[in-house]
């Protein structure tokens, strides 16, 4: 069974096979976690993103990890929903992000993966609801992945993820 844990830190420093980034549809890079991942992976990441994008919300696409240090081999780009009050299918789109990211990683034979708190920054998704969706979806999606790390950049997000994992 997959082990899921919450950790606090910078996702670009995770020692996992694949790192997920909360991208925008262009896959050319942006702010927040996506900016950090693009800075760490180098300019070839945006070139690779432009070659496979655009990526619709709820979907996920993989590229190599370029300048990120091993063992990271893959970057999974997923596009979260923009929060518009909750009645625009945001929850379903967010669940789809987690599900599709796992599926893409499975196809690449990934054994360990790190996720940021998708959509909870610039996109404004409430962090507690997002954490419940993340945990529920990851637990219910069949996968060969052995280790999932939910990486919180700040203390509050870490606490929220830890509570969601204890449910
Ligand atoms: N490591 C881990 N988590 C991080 C890091 C990091 N280095 N930096 C930020 N976070 P956001 P979104 C956290 O805004 O809401 C971009 O411009 C952050 O504190 O990065 O899905 C994209 O290109 C928050 O908890 O992603 C899109 O246009 C979480 O990551 C748009 O923002 C997500 O915040 C996506 O917005």
């Amino acid at each position: 069974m997959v082990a899921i844990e919450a950790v606090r830190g910078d996702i670009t420093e995770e020692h996992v096979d694949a790192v997920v980034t909360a991208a925008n549809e262009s896959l050319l890079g942006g702010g927040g976690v996506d900016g950090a991942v693009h800075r760490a992976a180098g300019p070839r990441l945006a070139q690779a993103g432009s070659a496979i994008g655009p990526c619709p919300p709820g979907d996920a696409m993989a590229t190599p990890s370029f300048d990120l240090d091993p063992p990271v081999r893959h970057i999974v780009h997923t596009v979260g929903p923009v929060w518009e009050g909750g009645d625009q299918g945001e929850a379903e789109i967010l669940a789809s992000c987690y599900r599709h990211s796992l599926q893409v990683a499975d196809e690449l034979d990934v054994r360990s993966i790190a996720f940021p708190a998708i959509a909870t920054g610039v996109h404004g998704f409430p962090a507690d609801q997002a954490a419940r969706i993340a945990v529920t979806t990851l637990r219910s999606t069949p996968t060969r992945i052995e280790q999932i790390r939910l990486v919180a950049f700040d203390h509050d997000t870490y606490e929220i993820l830890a509570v969601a994992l204890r449910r």
Side-chain angles (χ1 to χ4, degrees):
M1 210 183 90
V2 61
I4 309 176
E5 63 184 326
V7 296
R8 187 167 169 198
D10 179 344
I11 202 166
T12 64
E13 293 171 7
E14 283 290 308
H15 296 273
V16 286
D17 296 335
V19 165
V20 179
T21 184
N24 59 60
E25 293 187 40
S26 76
L27 304 189
L28 292 173
V33 68
D34 202 32
V37 168
H38 276 260
R39 277 193 299 280
R44 287 177 294 171
L45 187 60
Q47 288 169 17
S50 75
I52 59 170
C55 179
D59 211 344
M61 297 176 173
T63 64
S65 57
F66 299 109
D67 297 342
L68 274 175
D69 289 333
V72 182
R73 290 179 288 124
H74 306 286
I75 295 172
V76 177
H77 308 249
T78 190
V79 180
V82 176
W83 181 258
E84 293 179 62
D87 57 3
Q88 301 295 314
E90 293 96 326
E92 290 77 12
I93 295 169
L94 185 61
S96 174
C97 288
Y98 284 96
R99 206 165 43 242
H100 280 117
S101 295
L102 279 191
Q103 286 164 357
V104 164
D106 257 333
E107 285 162 16
L108 295 165
D109 234 8
V110 161
R111 288 291 178 263
S112 57
I113 189 166
F115 281 89
I118 300 163
T120 66
V122 173
H123 281 185
F125 204 114
D128 50 352
Q129 195 180 334
R132 285 199 296 276
I133 290 168
V135 170
T136 307
T137 307
L138 292 171
R139 281 182 177 152
S140 62
T141 304
T143 178
R144 293 195 311 281
I145 292 170
E146 292 161 3
Q147 189 196 15
I148 297 175
R149 289 166 67 81
L150 302 178
V151 181
F153 202 46
D154 57 82
H155 179 73
D156 287 355
T157 301
Y158 174 78
E159 288 296 328
I160 287 166
L161 287 167
V163 167
L165 282 169
R166 282 199 293 270
R167 278 168 186 265

